[in-house]
Amino acid sequence: YSSRRWGLTLDTIVGLDVVLANGSFIHTTTTSYTDIFWALRGAADSIGIITTFYFQTQPAPSSVVNWVYEIPMTSPNVAAASFAHIQSFALNASVIDDRIGFGVTPSPSNFHISGTYHGDEATFKSKIAPEFLRNLPTPASTKIVTLSWLDSLEDMWGRPLPQPLSGYDAHDNFYAKSILVPESNPLSPSALLKYFTYIATNGSSTSGWFSELNLLGGPASRINNPPYPSAYSSRNSLWVLQHYATVPSTANGTTRPTIDFVNGLNDALGMGYGGYLNYVDPELSASQAHSVYYSRSVYERLVGIKRVVDPKGVFWNPQAVGV
C-alpha cells in the first residue's frame, strides 16, 4: 500500500548489474547504458540476468495507521453501488493524497477492505474514515491501529515476516489474471453490477479463489508520476485487479473449470483493459501478452533494444519480447 507514497519497487532502482546474452557484464543506470537500464525495469526477463540491484531506500516511518473494514454485501446491487462510492472516494483530492493506500477483496457476501495511512490516527478517524464509510453499509467489524513500520507489515501479513536463507517453501499451484483500469475510464456502474453479479452467482461454488482491487492512481500517486521513465508503461491506472485461484497439483484434468471461473471474472468487466505484467497469464499468446502488458510505443522500443542486446533470443519465454 505504500507504493502510492514511494512509487513501485522498480521506481526506487538506481542501478543494476546485468549479464547480457553475449556474456558481457555491465552496470546500468540513468546515465550508463541508459536504453538497457530502461528496458530492464519492465522487461528484464527478455534482456539479461540481473545479478545486483541498487535501490534508493526510504527512512522507515515512525508509525503507520493500519485499518480494516469488513462490510456485508447483501446483493450485487449493493456491492456495485458500494464500490462506485469507493471509486469516487479514491478520486477525491480533498481526502486522498499519497499517504493513503488500500485494497478491496470482495466475496459473495462481503467486502474485506484493508489499507494503511502514513499520518496520525486522529486525522484518519476524523477526516478520512467518515468520507470513506459514507453511503456504505455499516461495517460488521472495524480495526484501526497505530503501529511501528515493521509491526505494520507483520499485521498486514498476519504472521511474522519470513527471512529464510534456505528452505523457502511458500509455493502454490494457481492460475491468475489481471486488469489495469485507467483513471480516464473508471469502472462503470454497469460493469460493476455485472462483475459483482458474477461473483455472487459463481463465487460460492468455486473454492480457493480471491479477487483484489488495489488502488494505484488517484490524487498525488507516485506510481503515476515516476522519477524517470521505464519499460513499465502503465502509468495512468486507477486500479489493478488480480483474479487468482488455487488449483490442486493433483487436479488431473479438473483445472479447466477453475481457469474458466478466473477468466469469467475478467470477462465480466468487459474487454479493452491492460494487464499487470507481474501477474503473468500463461493462456495469453505472445502477441496478446505484448498488447496487454505494454503500450505500442514501449513495445516497439523494447523490440529494438532486444535486437541489439540479444539478437539470437537467448533470453526466451513464450511471451518474451520479440517472440
Side-chain angles (χ1 to χ4, degrees), residues 168-215:
Y168 182 83
D169 62 356
H171 305 289
D172 195 9
N173 194 51
F174 67 93
Y175 177 65
K177 294 180 77 74
S178 64
I179 287 176
L180 286 169
V181 179
E183 283 194 355
S184 60
N185 186 25
L187 293 167
S188 68
S190 60
L192 289 170
L193 181 58
K194 187 175 180 181
Y195 181 67
F196 291 117
T197 298
Y198 181 86
I199 289 174
T201 303
N202 301 282
S204 296
S205 59
T206 304
S207 61
W209 72 275
F210 67 81
S211 169
E212 290 182 339
L213 300 90
N214 289 322
L215 181 64

Short mmCIF file of all heavy atoms in Angstrom, two decimals, residues 168-215:
data_model
loop_
_atom_site.label_atom_id
_atom_site.label_comp_id
_atom_site.label_asym_id
_atom_site.label_seq_id
_atom_site.Cartn_x
_atom_site.Cartn_y
_atom_site.Cartn_z
N TYR A 168 13.20 -22.14 1.63
CA TYR A 168 11.98 -21.39 1.32
C TYR A 168 10.92 -22.34 0.78
O TYR A 168 11.17 -23.12 -0.14
CB TYR A 168 12.30 -20.31 0.28
CG TYR A 168 11.13 -19.43 -0.08
CD1 TYR A 168 10.79 -18.34 0.70
CD2 TYR A 168 10.36 -19.69 -1.21
CE1 TYR A 168 9.73 -17.52 0.37
CE2 TYR A 168 9.29 -18.88 -1.55
CZ TYR A 168 8.98 -17.79 -0.75
OH TYR A 168 7.92 -16.99 -1.08
N ASP A 169 9.72 -22.29 1.35
CA ASP A 169 8.71 -23.27 0.96
C ASP A 169 7.32 -22.66 0.74
O ASP A 169 6.31 -23.36 0.82
CB ASP A 169 8.61 -24.38 2.00
CG ASP A 169 8.20 -23.87 3.38
OD1 ASP A 169 8.06 -22.63 3.53
OD2 ASP A 169 8.00 -24.70 4.29
N ALA A 170 7.25 -21.37 0.44
CA ALA A 170 5.96 -20.74 0.16
C ALA A 170 5.64 -20.89 -1.32
O ALA A 170 6.07 -20.09 -2.15
CB ALA A 170 5.99 -19.27 0.57
N HIS A 171 4.90 -21.93 -1.65
CA HIS A 171 4.59 -22.23 -3.04
C HIS A 171 3.10 -22.45 -3.21
O HIS A 171 2.39 -22.81 -2.27
CB HIS A 171 5.35 -23.48 -3.50
CG HIS A 171 6.83 -23.41 -3.30
ND1 HIS A 171 7.65 -22.60 -4.05
CD2 HIS A 171 7.64 -24.04 -2.41
CE1 HIS A 171 8.90 -22.73 -3.65
NE2 HIS A 171 8.93 -23.59 -2.65
N ASP A 172 2.64 -22.28 -4.43
CA ASP A 172 1.23 -22.53 -4.73
C ASP A 172 1.12 -22.93 -6.20
O ASP A 172 1.94 -22.52 -7.04
CB ASP A 172 0.40 -21.27 -4.46
CG ASP A 172 -1.10 -21.57 -4.39
OD1 ASP A 172 -1.47 -22.75 -4.38
OD2 ASP A 172 -1.88 -20.60 -4.32
N ASN A 173 0.12 -23.71 -6.51
CA ASN A 173 -0.23 -24.08 -7.88
C ASN A 173 -1.49 -23.30 -8.22
O ASN A 173 -2.55 -23.56 -7.65
CB ASN A 173 -0.45 -25.59 -7.97
CG ASN A 173 -0.48 -26.08 -9.41
OD1 ASN A 173 0.42 -25.78 -10.18
ND2 ASN A 173 -1.51 -26.83 -9.76
N PHE A 174 -1.40 -22.34 -9.13
CA PHE A 174 -2.50 -21.40 -9.29
C PHE A 174 -2.61 -20.90 -10.72
O PHE A 174 -1.70 -21.08 -11.54
CB PHE A 174 -2.33 -20.21 -8.36
CG PHE A 174 -1.14 -19.34 -8.70
CD1 PHE A 174 -1.28 -18.23 -9.53
CD2 PHE A 174 0.12 -19.62 -8.20
CE1 PHE A 174 -0.20 -17.44 -9.86
CE2 PHE A 174 1.22 -18.83 -8.53
CZ PHE A 174 1.06 -17.74 -9.36
N TYR A 175 -3.72 -20.25 -11.00
CA TYR A 175 -3.93 -19.53 -12.25
C TYR A 175 -4.39 -18.12 -11.89
O TYR A 175 -5.22 -17.94 -10.98
CB TYR A 175 -4.99 -20.21 -13.11
CG TYR A 175 -5.29 -19.48 -14.38
CD1 TYR A 175 -4.33 -19.33 -15.38
CD2 TYR A 175 -6.54 -18.90 -14.60
CE1 TYR A 175 -4.60 -18.65 -16.55
CE2 TYR A 175 -6.83 -18.22 -15.78
CZ TYR A 175 -5.85 -18.10 -16.75
OH TYR A 175 -6.12 -17.40 -17.90
N ALA A 176 -3.85 -17.12 -12.58
CA ALA A 176 -4.18 -15.73 -12.25
C ALA A 176 -4.29 -14.89 -13.51
O ALA A 176 -3.65 -15.17 -14.53
CB ALA A 176 -3.13 -15.13 -11.33
N LYS A 177 -5.11 -13.88 -13.43
CA LYS A 177 -5.24 -12.87 -14.47
C LYS A 177 -5.28 -11.50 -13.80
O LYS A 177 -5.44 -11.40 -12.58
CB LYS A 177 -6.53 -13.06 -15.28
CG LYS A 177 -6.57 -14.33 -16.10
CD LYS A 177 -7.87 -14.45 -16.88
CE LYS A 177 -7.90 -13.57 -18.10
NZ LYS A 177 -7.05 -14.06 -19.21
N SER A 178 -5.15 -10.46 -14.60
CA SER A 178 -5.16 -9.12 -14.04
C SER A 178 -5.85 -8.15 -14.99
O SER A 178 -6.04 -8.43 -16.17
CB SER A 178 -3.72 -8.64 -13.77
OG SER A 178 -3.00 -8.52 -15.00
N ILE A 179 -6.22 -7.02 -14.43
CA ILE A 179 -6.79 -5.92 -15.19
C ILE A 179 -6.23 -4.61 -14.64
O ILE A 179 -6.15 -4.44 -13.42
CB ILE A 179 -8.33 -5.90 -15.11
CG1 ILE A 179 -8.95 -7.04 -15.93
CG2 ILE A 179 -8.90 -4.57 -15.57
CD1 ILE A 179 -10.46 -7.12 -15.81
N LEU A 180 -5.84 -3.71 -15.52
CA LEU A 180 -5.48 -2.35 -15.14
C LEU A 180 -6.56 -1.41 -15.65
O LEU A 180 -6.83 -1.35 -16.86
CB LEU A 180 -4.12 -1.96 -15.73
CG LEU A 180 -2.90 -2.59 -15.06
CD1 LEU A 180 -1.64 -2.34 -15.90
CD2 LEU A 180 -2.71 -2.06 -13.65
N VAL A 181 -7.19 -0.70 -14.73
CA VAL A 181 -8.28 0.21 -15.06
C VAL A 181 -7.72 1.63 -15.11
O VAL A 181 -7.19 2.13 -14.11
CB VAL A 181 -9.41 0.14 -14.02
CG1 VAL A 181 -10.52 1.12 -14.37
CG2 VAL A 181 -9.95 -1.29 -13.94
N PRO A 182 -7.81 2.32 -16.25
CA PRO A 182 -7.24 3.67 -16.34
C PRO A 182 -8.05 4.71 -15.58
O PRO A 182 -9.28 4.58 -15.45
CB PRO A 182 -7.25 3.95 -17.85
CG PRO A 182 -8.36 3.10 -18.38
CD PRO A 182 -8.38 1.86 -17.52
N GLU A 183 -7.37 5.73 -15.10
CA GLU A 183 -8.07 6.82 -14.42
C GLU A 183 -9.04 7.52 -15.36
O GLU A 183 -10.09 8.01 -14.93
CB GLU A 183 -7.06 7.85 -13.89
CG GLU A 183 -6.34 7.42 -12.63
CD GLU A 183 -5.62 8.59 -11.98
OE1 GLU A 183 -5.61 9.70 -12.55
OE2 GLU A 183 -5.08 8.38 -10.88
N SER A 184 -8.71 7.55 -16.64
CA SER A 184 -9.55 8.25 -17.60
C SER A 184 -10.84 7.50 -17.91
O SER A 184 -11.77 8.07 -18.50
CB SER A 184 -8.78 8.48 -18.91
OG SER A 184 -8.38 7.24 -19.47
N ASN A 185 -10.92 6.24 -17.53
CA ASN A 185 -12.10 5.42 -17.80
C ASN A 185 -12.37 4.49 -16.62
O ASN A 185 -12.19 3.27 -16.72
CB ASN A 185 -11.90 4.62 -19.09
CG ASN A 185 -13.14 3.87 -19.51
OD1 ASN A 185 -14.26 4.25 -19.18
ND2 ASN A 185 -12.95 2.77 -20.25
N PRO A 186 -12.80 5.03 -15.48
CA PRO A 186 -13.02 4.20 -14.29
C PRO A 186 -14.10 3.15 -14.54
O PRO A 186 -14.82 3.18 -15.54
CB PRO A 186 -13.47 5.22 -13.23
CG PRO A 186 -13.02 6.54 -13.73
CD PRO A 186 -13.09 6.45 -15.23
N LEU A 187 -14.20 2.22 -13.62
CA LEU A 187 -15.19 1.15 -13.73
C LEU A 187 -16.60 1.74 -13.71
O LEU A 187 -16.96 2.49 -12.81
CB LEU A 187 -15.01 0.16 -12.58
CG LEU A 187 -13.70 -0.65 -12.64
CD1 LEU A 187 -13.46 -1.38 -11.31
CD2 LEU A 187 -13.70 -1.64 -13.79
N SER A 188 -17.39 1.37 -14.69
CA SER A 188 -18.73 1.94 -14.85
C SER A 188 -19.72 1.21 -13.95
O SER A 188 -19.49 0.07 -13.54
CB SER A 188 -19.18 1.82 -16.30
OG SER A 188 -19.40 0.45 -16.64
N PRO A 189 -20.85 1.84 -13.64
CA PRO A 189 -21.88 1.16 -12.84
C PRO A 189 -22.35 -0.16 -13.46
O PRO A 189 -22.55 -1.15 -12.75
CB PRO A 189 -23.01 2.19 -12.78
CG PRO A 189 -22.32 3.51 -12.93
CD PRO A 189 -21.19 3.25 -13.88
N SER A 190 -22.50 -0.19 -14.78
CA SER A 190 -22.97 -1.43 -15.42
C SER A 190 -21.92 -2.52 -15.34
O SER A 190 -22.25 -3.70 -15.12
CB SER A 190 -23.33 -1.15 -16.88
OG SER A 190 -22.21 -0.66 -17.61
N ALA A 191 -20.64 -2.17 -15.51
CA ALA A 191 -19.58 -3.16 -15.40
C ALA A 191 -19.49 -3.68 -13.98
O ALA A 191 -19.30 -4.90 -13.76
CB ALA A 191 -18.25 -2.55 -15.84
N LEU A 192 -19.61 -2.80 -13.00
CA LEU A 192 -19.55 -3.22 -11.60
C LEU A 192 -20.70 -4.16 -11.26
O LEU A 192 -20.51 -5.18 -10.57
CB LEU A 192 -19.57 -2.01 -10.68
CG LEU A 192 -18.30 -1.16 -10.67
CD1 LEU A 192 -18.53 0.15 -9.92
CD2 LEU A 192 -17.14 -1.93 -10.04
N LEU A 193 -21.89 -3.85 -11.74
CA LEU A 193 -23.04 -4.71 -11.46
C LEU A 193 -22.84 -6.09 -12.08
O LEU A 193 -23.10 -7.12 -11.44
CB LEU A 193 -24.31 -4.08 -11.98
CG LEU A 193 -25.60 -4.88 -11.73
CD1 LEU A 193 -25.80 -5.14 -10.23
CD2 LEU A 193 -26.80 -4.15 -12.32
N LYS A 194 -22.35 -6.14 -13.30
CA LYS A 194 -22.10 -7.43 -13.95
C LYS A 194 -21.03 -8.21 -13.20
O LYS A 194 -21.14 -9.43 -13.01
CB LYS A 194 -21.68 -7.20 -15.40
CG LYS A 194 -21.56 -8.49 -16.21
CD LYS A 194 -21.24 -8.19 -17.67
CE LYS A 194 -21.11 -9.49 -18.46
NZ LYS A 194 -20.77 -9.22 -19.90
N TYR A 195 -20.00 -7.52 -12.75
CA TYR A 195 -18.88 -8.15 -12.03
C TYR A 195 -19.35 -8.76 -10.71
O TYR A 195 -19.09 -9.93 -10.42
CB TYR A 195 -17.80 -7.10 -11.79
CG TYR A 195 -16.56 -7.57 -11.10
CD1 TYR A 195 -15.69 -8.46 -11.70
CD2 TYR A 195 -16.23 -7.07 -9.83
CE1 TYR A 195 -14.52 -8.86 -11.07
CE2 TYR A 195 -15.07 -7.46 -9.19
CZ TYR A 195 -14.21 -8.36 -9.81
OH TYR A 195 -13.06 -8.74 -9.19
N PHE A 196 -20.06 -7.97 -9.92
CA PHE A 196 -20.48 -8.48 -8.60
C PHE A 196 -21.62 -9.48 -8.72
O PHE A 196 -21.78 -10.34 -7.85
CB PHE A 196 -20.83 -7.31 -7.69
CG PHE A 196 -19.62 -6.50 -7.29
CD1 PHE A 196 -19.50 -5.17 -7.64
CD2 PHE A 196 -18.59 -7.09 -6.57
CE1 PHE A 196 -18.38 -4.44 -7.29
CE2 PHE A 196 -17.45 -6.37 -6.22
CZ PHE A 196 -17.35 -5.05 -6.58
N THR A 197 -22.38 -9.41 -9.79
CA THR A 197 -23.37 -10.45 -10.04
C THR A 197 -22.67 -11.77 -10.35
O THR A 197 -23.09 -12.84 -9.87
CB THR A 197 -24.30 -10.05 -11.21
OG1 THR A 197 -25.02 -8.87 -10.86
CG2 THR A 197 -25.29 -11.16 -11.51
N TYR A 198 -21.61 -11.71 -11.13
CA TYR A 198 -20.83 -12.92 -11.44
C TYR A 198 -20.26 -13.53 -10.16
O TYR A 198 -20.32 -14.75 -9.96
CB TYR A 198 -19.71 -12.58 -12.42
CG TYR A 198 -18.87 -13.79 -12.82
CD1 TYR A 198 -19.26 -14.60 -13.87
CD2 TYR A 198 -17.71 -14.11 -12.14
CE1 TYR A 198 -18.51 -15.70 -14.24
CE2 TYR A 198 -16.94 -15.21 -12.49
CZ TYR A 198 -17.35 -16.00 -13.55
OH TYR A 198 -16.60 -17.11 -13.91
N ILE A 199 -19.71 -12.69 -9.28
CA ILE A 199 -19.15 -13.19 -8.02
C ILE A 199 -20.24 -13.81 -7.16
O ILE A 199 -20.06 -14.90 -6.59
CB ILE A 199 -18.43 -12.05 -7.28
CG1 ILE A 199 -17.14 -11.68 -8.02
CG2 ILE A 199 -18.13 -12.45 -5.83
CD1 ILE A 199 -16.42 -10.49 -7.44
N ALA A 200 -21.38 -13.14 -7.05
CA ALA A 200 -22.48 -13.66 -6.23
C ALA A 200 -23.01 -14.98 -6.77
O ALA A 200 -23.38 -15.88 -6.01
CB ALA A 200 -23.60 -12.63 -6.14
N THR A 201 -23.04 -15.11 -8.09
CA THR A 201 -23.61 -16.30 -8.71
C THR A 201 -22.65 -17.47 -8.71
O THR A 201 -23.06 -18.63 -8.50
CB THR A 201 -24.02 -15.98 -10.17
OG1 THR A 201 -24.94 -14.88 -10.17
CG2 THR A 201 -24.67 -17.18 -10.83
N ASN A 202 -21.36 -17.21 -8.90
CA ASN A 202 -20.39 -18.29 -9.12
C ASN A 202 -19.35 -18.44 -8.01
O ASN A 202 -18.69 -19.48 -7.93
CB ASN A 202 -19.65 -18.06 -10.44
CG ASN A 202 -20.59 -18.01 -11.63
OD1 ASN A 202 -21.05 -19.04 -12.11
ND2 ASN A 202 -20.87 -16.80 -12.10
N GLY A 203 -19.19 -17.41 -7.17
CA GLY A 203 -18.10 -17.43 -6.20
C GLY A 203 -18.23 -18.49 -5.13
O GLY A 203 -17.23 -19.08 -4.70
N SER A 204 -19.45 -18.77 -4.69
CA SER A 204 -19.63 -19.73 -3.59
C SER A 204 -19.36 -21.17 -4.03
O SER A 204 -19.02 -22.02 -3.20
CB SER A 204 -21.04 -19.63 -3.02
OG SER A 204 -21.25 -18.35 -2.44
N SER A 205 -19.51 -21.45 -5.30
CA SER A 205 -19.31 -22.82 -5.79
C SER A 205 -17.88 -23.08 -6.25
O SER A 205 -17.57 -24.19 -6.69
CB SER A 205 -20.29 -23.11 -6.94
OG SER A 205 -20.08 -22.19 -8.01
N THR A 206 -17.02 -22.07 -6.18
CA THR A 206 -15.61 -22.21 -6.56
C THR A 206 -14.76 -21.98 -5.31
O THR A 206 -14.93 -20.98 -4.62
CB THR A 206 -15.23 -21.19 -7.65
OG1 THR A 206 -16.09 -21.36 -8.78
CG2 THR A 206 -13.78 -21.39 -8.08
N SER A 207 -13.86 -22.88 -5.03
CA SER A 207 -13.03 -22.76 -3.82
C SER A 207 -11.64 -22.25 -4.17
O SER A 207 -11.18 -22.34 -5.31
CB SER A 207 -12.93 -24.12 -3.12
OG SER A 207 -12.32 -25.07 -3.97
N GLY A 208 -10.96 -21.72 -3.17
CA GLY A 208 -9.57 -21.34 -3.31
C GLY A 208 -9.31 -20.16 -4.22
O GLY A 208 -8.24 -20.06 -4.82
N TRP A 209 -10.25 -19.23 -4.31
CA TRP A 209 -10.04 -18.08 -5.18
C TRP A 209 -10.10 -16.78 -4.39
O TRP A 209 -10.62 -16.73 -3.29
CB TRP A 209 -11.13 -18.03 -6.27
CG TRP A 209 -12.49 -17.64 -5.78
CD1 TRP A 209 -13.42 -18.47 -5.24
CD2 TRP A 209 -13.06 -16.32 -5.73
NE1 TRP A 209 -14.54 -17.77 -4.87
CE2 TRP A 209 -14.36 -16.45 -5.17
CE3 TRP A 209 -12.62 -15.06 -6.12
CZ2 TRP A 209 -15.19 -15.35 -4.98
CZ3 TRP A 209 -13.46 -13.97 -5.94
CH2 TRP A 209 -14.73 -14.11 -5.38
N PHE A 210 -9.53 -15.74 -4.96
CA PHE A 210 -9.74 -14.41 -4.41
C PHE A 210 -9.60 -13.39 -5.52
O PHE A 210 -9.01 -13.64 -6.58
CB PHE A 210 -8.78 -14.09 -3.26
CG PHE A 210 -7.32 -13.98 -3.66
CD1 PHE A 210 -6.81 -12.83 -4.22
CD2 PHE A 210 -6.46 -15.05 -3.44
CE1 PHE A 210 -5.48 -12.72 -4.59
CE2 PHE A 210 -5.12 -14.96 -3.80
CZ PHE A 210 -4.62 -13.79 -4.37
N SER A 211 -10.19 -12.25 -5.27
CA SER A 211 -10.08 -11.09 -6.14
C SER A 211 -9.58 -9.92 -5.31
O SER A 211 -10.04 -9.73 -4.19
CB SER A 211 -11.45 -10.77 -6.76
OG SER A 211 -11.43 -9.53 -7.41
N GLU A 212 -8.63 -9.18 -5.85
CA GLU A 212 -8.12 -7.99 -5.18
C GLU A 212 -8.21 -6.80 -6.11
O GLU A 212 -7.80 -6.89 -7.27
CB GLU A 212 -6.66 -8.17 -4.76
CG GLU A 212 -6.44 -9.16 -3.64
CD GLU A 212 -4.98 -9.25 -3.24
OE1 GLU A 212 -4.10 -8.86 -4.06
OE2 GLU A 212 -4.70 -9.71 -2.12
N LEU A 213 -8.77 -5.72 -5.61
CA LEU A 213 -8.82 -4.46 -6.36
C LEU A 213 -8.02 -3.44 -5.55
O LEU A 213 -8.49 -2.93 -4.53
CB LEU A 213 -10.26 -3.99 -6.55
CG LEU A 213 -11.20 -4.94 -7.32
CD1 LEU A 213 -11.90 -5.90 -6.36
CD2 LEU A 213 -12.24 -4.14 -8.10
N ASN A 214 -6.79 -3.19 -5.99
CA ASN A 214 -5.89 -2.31 -5.26
C ASN A 214 -5.76 -0.96 -5.95
O ASN A 214 -5.65 -0.88 -7.19
CB ASN A 214 -4.51 -2.95 -5.14
CG ASN A 214 -4.50 -4.12 -4.17
OD1 ASN A 214 -5.16 -4.07 -3.14
ND2 ASN A 214 -3.77 -5.16 -4.51
N LEU A 215 -5.76 0.09 -5.14
CA LEU A 215 -5.66 1.44 -5.66
C LEU A 215 -4.22 1.73 -6.09
O LEU A 215 -3.28 1.60 -5.29
CB LEU A 215 -6.09 2.45 -4.59
CG LEU A 215 -6.06 3.92 -5.00
CD1 LEU A 215 -7.07 4.19 -6.12
CD2 LEU A 215 -6.34 4.81 -3.80
#
